[in-house]
Amino acid sequence: IDSWMPGMNGIQLLQSLKQENANVRAMLCTGDLGQESIQSIKAKGFHGHLPKPFTIDELTQQLTYSLTE
C-alpha cells in the first residue's frame, strides 16, 4: 500500500481493509519514512516496509518475508 494516495493515506486504507478481513497482510511503500520507524509501521498493522524506488529482488524478498511471518 502506498503511504500517500488521493483521498486517503495507507494507514486509513489498511484500517478499512482490516475491517473487512482482520487477517489481511500489507506492506507500506513510501519514498520517505519521515518520522516513522519500522517498528511504528508494524505497530500500525503493516507487515513490512518497502522503500521506493525498489527493485524486483527487494519486492520478492519483502513478499516472501510477509507471507512466511
Side-chain angles (χ1 to χ4, degrees):
I1 297 175
D2 201 341
S3 59
W4 297 106
M5 300 173 288
M8 71 172 60
N9 65 38
I11 295 166
Q12 293 166 326
L13 177 58
L14 181 59
Q15 289 170 343
S16 178
L17 290 171
K18 284 193 173 275
Q19 287 178 358
E20 296 295 321
N21 180 350
N23 296 318
V24 70
R25 293 181 177 214
M27 291 182 294
L28 183 68
C29 299
T30 182
D32 180 24
L33 269 180
Q35 297 293 332
E36 295 285 333
S37 69
I38 301 301
Q39 290 81 17
S40 69
I41 287 170
K42 288 187 174 189
K44 292 177 180 167
F46 289 97
H47 279 78
H49 165 255
L50 194 58
K52 294 190 290 186
F54 53 85
T55 66
I56 295 298
D57 288 338
E58 291 167 328
L59 175 61
T60 301
Q61 181 181 20
Q62 283 294 329
L63 286 172
T64 301
Y65 170 75
S66 181
L67 292 173
T68 58
E69 181 182 78

